[in-house]
Amino acid sequence: SRVKMQRRVLYAGVAAGGALALALVAIVNMSAQGPAELMAAGPVTEDGKPVAVSQLYKDGEPATDFPHPAAPQMNLKSPKKWNAKFTTNVGDFNVVIHRDWAPKGADRFYSLVMNDFYDGARFFRYANDFVVQWGLKGTPQIDEMYESGANIPDDPPQKSNSKGRITFATSGPNTRSTQCFVNLADNTFLDDQGFTPFGELATQADLDVFLRKINAEYGEKANQNKIINEGNQLYLKHAFPHMSYIKSEAVTVIEE
């Protein structure tokens, strides 16, 4: 299964040290108050059609309102370079996304973040010296919709799975959906197995959140199928009460 990927078949990344250049074009606050402002032109789909900010899903709205994978809101075109800031219960971390590394992966991740998909998501897999994985929202109605019929095609490999890089998890060719992982080590052996990084942690401090703050006590014990079918409320909060999780997400466009 996507969650039970074997250690030999997953992640890698490169720790990106140094400060993130704040060449900011716009900031999108994707917290409980929802997206406040976007780029001047607003978000557009992969084929250039505009999408109103009011059409994007905001955390706290009914799960029945979450857009279908085929909806325009879930097929946005990613900026060339942007920062995703995640606020968690143990601290914030930033990921810099490079669309030219993996266009289809960047577009999907952008669409997920812009629609508050990761709000409430648990870091359900912590494999020491390997990866930290997340990407199930913990709302069964939404996760079930995105675990079937929501896969995107693979991107040709451009970058190596080195420490600090972020990559979509897969269960085979063309099976990327919502789950992703951060490499805790140089996992270059994943490069020829279809794992294509689309971004990297912005600084060493961001990597330290994964190495020192995200709770590792539960390791790889969480059952993905139970997360999908029972969610945070019925499963994770009871079986793994101290599991770290994402509280909100925000977009900062660096280069349009």
Side-chain angles (χ1 to χ4, degrees):
S1 71
R2 201 184 307 273
V3 170
K4 286 186 163 183
M5 294 175 154
Q6 296 301 310
R7 190 168 298 245
R8 63 179 179 277
V9 204
L10 209 58
Y11 333 116
V14 158
L20 210 191
L22 296 180
L24 309 183
V25 176
I27 296 177
V28 182
N29 182 3
M30 305 296 290
S31 61
Q33 62 193 54
E37 292 204 9
L38 275 178
M39 300 173 273
V44 297
T45 62
E46 295 163 7
D47 56 3
K49 296 178 181 177
V51 175
V53 174
S54 60
Q55 293 181 316
L56 301 176
Y57 179 86
K58 303 170 187 64
D59 190 55
E61 293 179 342
T64 52
D65 290 350
F66 199 88
H68 186 273
Q73 302 97 304
M74 284 304 303
N75 289 275
L76 302 178
K77 183 177 180 180
S78 163
K80 291 180 180 178
K81 186 178 181 182
W82 56 283
N83 183 81
K85 178 180 179 180
F86 292 93
T87 297
T88 80
N89 66 318
V90 295
D92 300 348
F93 68 91
N94 293 276
V95 182
V96 180
I97 310 304
H98 301 266
R99 191 175 188 272
D100 59 345
W101 289 11
K104 295 181 179 66
D107 289 351
R108 169 53 65 86
F109 195 68
Y110 182 66
S111 299
L112 291 166
V113 173
M114 291 290 283
N115 284 280
D116 281 359
F117 181 89
Y118 294 116
D119 284 27
R122 268 55 180 169
F123 298 97
F124 61 79
R125 182 187 185 197
Y126 197 110
N128 284 315
D129 301 318
F130 184 39
V131 300
V132 175
Q133 186 169 334
W134 79 94
L136 292 170
K137 188 168 181 61
T139 303
Q141 183 169 347
I142 297 174
D143 285 329
E144 289 171 2
M145 178 167 58
Y146 277 82
E147 285 300 303
S148 59
N151 295 339
I152 60 172
D154 290 338
D155 283 298
Q158 301 269 3
K159 298 291 181 179
S160 180
N161 279 279
S162 48
K163 189 176 184 180
R165 286 190 174 157
I166 184 172
T167 304
F168 272 109
T170 77
S171 56
N174 303 311
T175 58
R176 296 179 299 172
S177 180
T178 65
Q179 294 187 45
C180 53
F181 59 87
V182 163
N183 292 285
L184 301 181
D186 290 337
N187 298 316
T188 55
F189 63 92
L190 297 173
D191 295 350
D192 60 358
Q193 299 179 31
F195 297 99
T196 306
F198 57 87
E200 60 190 352
L201 294 173
T203 68
Q204 180 62 43
D206 297 305
L207 179 60
D208 286 343
V209 171
F210 285 84
L211 296 175
R212 297 182 172 86
K213 294 184 178 180
I214 290 175
N215 189 3
E217 70 174 295
Y218 302 123
E220 302 181 66
K221 295 178 182 178
N223 182 294
Q224 277 193 47
N225 290 329
K226 281 196 169 187
I227 300 174
I228 294 168
N229 296 325
E230 300 177 26
N232 293 337
Q233 295 296 331
L234 296 180
Y235 177 51
L236 289 182
K237 285 188 176 181
H238 295 284
F240 308 99
H242 305 298
M243 186 173 281
S244 301
Y245 62 93
I246 293 169
K247 299 171 69 175
S248 65
E249 52 212 297
V251 170
T252 299
V253 178
I254 300 171
E255 183 180 357
E256 292 189 50

